Amino acid sequence: MVLADLTAGAVEDAERRALTRPLADVERDALARPPAHDALAALAPADRVKIIAEVKRASPSRGALADIPDPALQASLYEQGGASAISVLTEERRFGGSLADLEAVTAGVSLPVLRKDFIATPYQVFEARAAGADLALLIVAGLSQSTLHELHALILELGMTPLIETHSAEELEAAIDLGASLIGVNARNLKTLELDRDLFARLADRIPDTAIRVAESAVLAPDDVRRYREAGADVVLIGEALVTGDPVATLESFLEAGSMPVRAQKESKCDVLSERSESKCDVLSERSESK
């Protein structure tokens, strides 16, 4: 399976790094970092879609996409174009990323930054925070239930926000059982690399109003963003279309395509999440009162 190979490779690479940078050192660096940005506030539902813009050089499904010699510059263009957060691929073997990319981006933008990788060990979580990440990706299909719960708790303990990625109703239930506040539905099956463009629309109503809904993959044009927004997406994560074109103009066209309210917010959403992010609740309350 592709996902199993990617996860195994990412863990092997982390183990190699640990030979020269032991866990104790990474943990010390992670704990010395300033507090993470409030990603839930940045991505809170609003009257138009929000975008996580991705720094992505390649992928197993599409091959090489862009050289991106200066990931910090790429991320700054995303910020200029109106992105609400940045995603950085740090997987080395098939995506051409690195922790150096993550460090450069976190130092170069004021937005929350996601470490997107095949995270399966505490070491990788500490690496993410040590490099300045504000969010970390956990892929339900690639983790046992016990590991998923362990890493989810560690990410929260370090002050970061977990993005829990799913690709089926069963995986979505696992994310809901975690109490996840940020739930992604990836149109691409990472076990087979097949694409299901209608998956988000089929699963969106199952995501509780206590969570932010993130649509991932299958975005190449404004109509793709509009389709996700109409299906209930609060946030869309976009990579390929932004690294293969003008990032600022592309982002602006995508944001315009998703510039309509999508769903009424229940007061219970703020009740559940207020302890995590008062500023997010302020945004949700304003949105509810305007409807």
Side-chain angles (χ1 to χ4, degrees):
M1 290 191 303
V2 177
L3 176 59
D5 291 343
L6 289 168
T7 303
V11 170
E12 285 179 9
D13 291 341
E15 291 172 344
R16 171 179 47 80
R17 292 191 295 273
L19 295 176
T20 55
R21 192 185 183 197
L23 175 60
D25 291 349
V26 179
E27 184 174 353
R28 180 198 62 223
D29 294 342
L31 296 176
R33 275 279 182 177
H37 290 94
D38 188 344
L40 293 179
L43 299 173
D47 286 340
R48 72 173 184 176
V49 76
K50 294 187 175 180
I51 291 176
I52 301 174
E54 191 157 84
V55 177
K56 180 179 185 178
R57 292 192 177 89
S59 75
S61 61
R62 303 289 289 178
L65 297 171
D67 290 337
I68 313 182
D70 189 341
L73 174 60
Q74 183 78 14
S76 70
L77 292 173
Y78 292 161
E79 187 168 21
Q80 179 184 336
S84 294
I86 309 295
S87 170
V88 180
L89 256 304
T90 58
E91 196 276 343
E92 302 173 14
R93 303 185 183 196
R94 302 291 294 276
F95 291 88
S98 69
L99 282 168
D101 290 345
L102 179 62
E103 291 168 348
V105 170
T106 59
V109 299
S110 60
L111 301 175
V113 178
L114 165 72
R115 182 188 186 183
K116 195 175 183 190
D117 207 323
F118 300 88
I119 294 173
T121 67
Y123 185 88
Q124 293 165 287
V125 174
F126 282 113
E127 276 188 323
R129 183 80 278 265
D134 307 290
L135 306 96
L137 179 72
L138 296 178
I139 302 171
V140 173
L143 302 170
S144 68
Q145 184 177 13
S146 60
T147 300
L148 179 63
H149 279 261
E150 175 191 5
L151 298 181
H152 180 265
L154 179 58
I155 291 168
L156 292 175
E157 182 182 335
L158 291 175
M160 294 188 290
T161 299
L163 170 57
I164 308 302
E165 181 175 298
T166 67
H167 186 75
S168 69
E170 293 75 20
E171 292 173 15
L172 181 55
E173 286 303 314
I176 294 169
D177 288 345
L178 275 177
S181 297
L182 190 65
I183 297 178
V185 176
N186 194 342
R188 190 172 299 282
N189 185 335
L190 293 178
K191 295 179 179 179
T192 64
L193 299 185
E194 294 176 350
L195 202 60
D196 184 346
R197 294 178 179 274
D198 298 320
L199 181 66
F200 180 85
R202 295 200 304 273
L203 296 182
D205 285 345
R206 296 172 179 255
I207 301 174
D209 283 341
T210 52
I212 296 170
R213 304 171 178 179
V214 183
E216 305 175 48
S217 297
V219 176
L220 294 176
D223 279 347
D224 298 320
V225 176
R226 184 178 297 109
R227 184 183 70 253
Y228 275 143
R229 182 63 168 172
E230 291 173 347
D234 300 309
V235 180
V236 181
L237 192 154
I238 305 171
E240 179 180 344
L242 298 178
V243 300
T244 56
D246 179 330
V248 175
T250 303
L251 268 168
E252 290 173 348
S253 68
F254 286 170
L255 288 167
E256 178 62 27
S259 60
M260 77 287 284
V262 66
R263 58 190 172 110
Q265 300 298 320
K266 296 181 179 178
E267 291 182 3
S268 60
K269 189 160 194 169
C270 273
D271 294 338
V272 172
L273 295 175
S274 59
E275 293 183 2
R276 288 288 313 279
S277 172
E278 290 183 4
S279 54
K280 178 184 178 186
C281 285
D282 292 340
V283 174
L284 293 179
S285 297
E286 289 173 7
R287 179 175 174 191
S288 297
E289 290 169 4
S290 67
K291 286 184 174 291

